[in-house]
Amino acid sequence: MSVDLRASASDHLRDRRARGYVLADGDWLINNFLDGLAARGQARITVADAVAFATEHPHTTCGWQARKLRAIRDLAAHVHGCDPDAAQLIPAGLIACKTPRRIPYLYSEEQIVELMSRALALSPAMLGASMHTLIGLLAATGMRSGEAAALNIENVDLERQALVVTGKNKRVRLVPLHRTTVEALIDYQQLRATRATGPLLIGPKGGRLNLNTARAAFRTLVNDCRLPVRPGCRAPRLHDCRHTFAVNTLIDAHRQGVDIDARIATLANYLGHLDPTHTYWYLTASPQLMQTVRERITAYQKERGL
């Protein structure tokens, strides 16, 4: 066997981080696993050892056990590629764990307009202006609320009409903006003209808008607007603007008759997803989407005399 597991683990983690993965737990999980192998005098990664490591504490959650196994599974694949005798490939799904996903709230255009309008009445006035801008920005771009809150003035490229956004795993992407969104950002920046750098969105005390503050203010706006909670849904959230953006993008694609898979691939890049399969989670069925799909199917059948 020609592979040093410790050295291979270091190479594996370095390569993953170079591709944009944060791997917050990667080092210590893998080191703990390799410590266990060394204590038993083993120099080979097996499926049995990986599963035993993941489930060694039976009272931990299934999600955490699956996360531990995934870390070792990725390492084993790397080592196996270097030397098949040094590691067995670990099959996916050995620890079944389904992540529960809440049904998103899909906003209508009228609801977004009302939320933005009521935001301007919040006190203090700076919070109102910031919430007005934040809601509009999320609705227009589909960004994560955390990405929007982390924006600095320097991230706004008015010449190219785009935002430089840092997303998950520290991946940086360019998000194009509609002309009206650019104009709204210019108007907002004029409220704080004394600042040429620093956070784009300002909180009630003059610093960066805190997400907890923004979410609390948004709940107030939702209550003021008396938005109806649909069956199976919880109260509307800021993050649901992202779902709404994705669904509306798919509706537009159907109406334009374009290749849906190609549009989703573009949407995945726009939203900052590492894997396009993650984008499908945002594409929640809605009455408008279903009606658009039915219309497209009917048109297709008529064209072919079906």
Side-chain angles (χ1 to χ4, degrees):
M1 193 178 303
S2 61
V3 173
D4 180 299
L5 292 182
R6 296 282 182 183
S8 189
S10 296
D11 292 342
H12 163 67
L13 290 168
R14 184 186 64 249
D15 292 346
R16 294 274 286 176
R17 290 193 170 103
R19 283 181 281 160
Y21 293 91
V22 176
L23 305 177
D25 302 316
D27 292 275
W28 72 269
L29 280 177
I30 287 175
N31 284 332
N32 283 353
F33 174 71
L34 295 180
D35 286 344
L37 290 185
R40 296 190 298 275
Q42 295 177 228
R44 181 171 184 262
I45 299 174
T46 67
V47 174
D49 285 322
V51 173
F53 171 74
T55 59
E56 61 184 340
H57 301 296
H59 298 298
T60 55
T61 66
C62 180
W64 175 240
Q65 292 179 2
R67 187 172 176 178
K68 290 175 68 177
L69 184 60
R70 184 164 56 248
I72 308 307
R73 179 172 178 260
D74 292 340
L75 171 64
H78 174 84
V79 174
H80 184 87
C82 299
D83 182 357
D85 292 331
Q88 294 179 336
L89 290 176
I90 301 171
L94 293 181
I95 298 179
C97 179
K98 293 184 178 180
T99 303
R101 294 180 181 267
R102 63 185 293 173
I103 300 174
Y105 191 97
L106 301 179
Y107 300 101
S108 66
E109 183 177 342
E110 293 74 20
Q111 288 173 332
I112 292 294
V113 169
E114 184 178 6
L115 286 166
M116 292 178 66
S117 177
R118 287 185 179 271
L120 292 174
L122 290 172
S123 181
M126 194 69 238
L127 175 62
S130 295
M131 288 301 300
H132 174 86
T133 303
L134 174 62
I135 295 169
L137 197 57
L138 297 182
T141 65
M143 281 194 300
R144 301 176 179 93
S145 54
E147 292 173 343
L151 287 171
N152 292 321
I153 295 176
E154 307 92 284
N155 298 133
V156 182
D157 190 332
L158 295 178
E159 183 176 342
R160 288 194 289 177
Q161 296 193 345
L163 293 174
V164 180
V165 178
T166 300
K168 285 186 176 180
N169 301 314
K170 298 181 181 178
R171 293 189 60 181
V172 179
R173 68 187 189 277
L174 199 64
V175 175
L177 301 175
H178 189 269
R179 173 185 52 80
T180 56
T181 305
V182 173
E183 292 171 355
L185 286 176
I186 292 175
D187 290 343
Y188 175 72
Q189 289 188 48
Q190 289 176 348
L191 297 176
R192 43 198 303 289
T194 56
R195 299 191 184 196
T197 61
L200 174 64
L201 297 172
I202 299 299
K205 295 183 179 180
R208 186 181 300 278
L209 179 64
N210 181 276
L211 265 184
N212 289 331
T213 300
R215 287 164 181 156
F218 189 76
R219 286 193 293 271
T220 298
L221 296 175
V222 166
N223 292 334
D224 289 346
C225 292
R226 297 184 178 181
L227 297 186
V229 179
R230 300 181 178 92
C233 294
R234 297 181 185 176
R237 307 167 299 165
L238 272 172
H239 190 68
D240 291 326
C241 292
R242 187 168 166 87
H243 286 274
T244 303
F245 178 88
V247 170
N248 287 341
T249 298
L250 188 59
I251 290 173
D252 289 341
H254 275 290
R255 287 174 175 169
Q256 295 165 13
V258 302
D259 185 313
I260 299 302
D261 288 332
R263 179 60 60 87
I264 288 177
T266 302
L267 179 62
N269 186 59
Y270 187 90
L271 293 176
H273 288 156
L274 284 171
D275 187 337
T277 58
H278 299 160
T279 309
Y280 284 91
W281 284 108
Y282 283 87
L283 302 177
T284 303
S286 69
Q288 187 178 11
L289 175 58
M290 293 299 97
Q291 178 61 32
T292 304
V293 171
R294 281 194 295 270
E295 290 172 357
R296 187 171 180 182
I297 291 174
T298 300
Y300 176 86
Q301 292 173 334
K302 286 182 178 179
E303 286 177 5
R304 284 155 180 77
L306 300 177

